[in-house]
Amino acid sequence: MRVMGVDPGLTRCGVGVVEGVPGAPLSLVHVSVVRTDPDEDVALRLLGIERGIEALIEELRPEVVAVERVFAQHNVSTVMGTAQAAGLAMVAAARRGLPVAMHTPSEAKAAITGNGRADKAQVTSMVTRLLRLDAPPKPADAADALALAICHVWRGGGQARLAAARKRAVPGQAGPSQAEINAARIAEAQRAARSRSRGGFPR
């Protein structure tokens, strides 16, 4: 599976592409940051973000695009720009018929480090280790984008199975119960935790 992770931002939009499957080593395909000039008009900056993401999708051909789920912050102007950039990534993927997954920062941190409150240094360190990189990816936006991609490689399979189970549910019969859904999520988390403790990958 080739996953493009997007850490949305108006000034710096991190893009990282990872290839792999649960149970096997992951490989880095690409990492970069799409940048815009803070002094430019917002519309032109959004255009620059869109063109950058579109070009990378065309070049790298991901199978899934994983975007950070945006939450409200105290700085309204910052969260608006972040949400706008996230929307552009989602539209670029949808235009090509690519699935879009949303992961919160806490979900990505928990998947990578085992701690949903991990700081950026911890996330960067684990991304560097998991992808066997010679040097940490910089800036932090780039590492965050790779973390999102890794998170989806590891957790996306479980999410896809749950979605498929819901679709297969016979009309008039109940689909997976909340308990079954929770059990599947716990199993995914336990596999990731065991792999991190061994220094390996989820199986």
Side-chain angles (χ1 to χ4, degrees):
M1 179 191 299
R2 178 171 288 196
V3 180
M4 172 179 282
V6 179
D7 180 47
L10 193 52
T11 301
R12 295 185 306 274
C13 183
V15 180
V17 180
V18 168
E19 196 161 53
V21 296
L26 301 167
S27 60
L28 172 68
V29 176
H30 173 88
V31 63
S32 64
V33 175
V34 180
R35 300 176 184 270
T36 67
D37 186 346
D39 295 327
E40 280 191 333
D41 181 77
V42 172
L44 293 177
R45 297 175 70 188
L46 290 171
L47 180 61
I49 294 290
E50 182 192 30
R51 287 176 173 172
I53 293 174
E54 291 268 1
L56 289 171
I57 291 178
E58 283 295 317
E59 175 187 352
L60 302 169
R61 303 289 180 176
E63 299 168 65
V64 183
V65 176
V67 183
E68 181 180 294
R69 187 183 297 277
V70 180
F71 283 96
Q73 303 173 6
H74 294 299
N75 190 330
V76 176
S77 61
T78 298
V79 75
M80 284 182 62
T82 302
Q84 288 167 337
L88 292 173
M90 296 169 69
V91 169
R95 185 175 289 130
R96 292 163 177 77
L98 297 175
V100 175
M102 304 290 287
H103 297 286
T104 66
S106 294
E107 287 172 347
K109 291 175 181 179
I112 301 301
T113 70
N115 177 10
R117 296 178 178 272
D119 59 27
K120 287 187 178 293
Q122 291 172 311
V123 172
T124 299
S125 176
M126 283 303 297
V127 166
T128 304
R129 175 185 172 190
L130 293 169
L131 294 177
R132 305 178 304 284
L133 305 179
D134 294 330
K138 294 181 179 180
D141 310 85
D144 289 345
L146 290 172
L148 285 163
I150 294 171
C151 173
H152 189 75
V153 170
W154 286 359
R155 293 189 169 184
Q159 294 174 347
R161 286 192 291 274
L162 286 172
R166 290 191 182 99
K167 289 182 179 179
R168 290 196 303 269
V170 178
Q173 295 183 3
S177 68
Q178 189 61 50
E180 292 171 329
I181 292 171
N182 291 339
R185 289 172 177 167
I186 290 170
E188 290 283 340
Q190 289 174 336
R191 280 194 290 272
R194 286 195 298 270
S195 297
R196 280 191 299 272
S197 67
R198 294 194 303 267
F201 303 85
R203 297 184 180 280

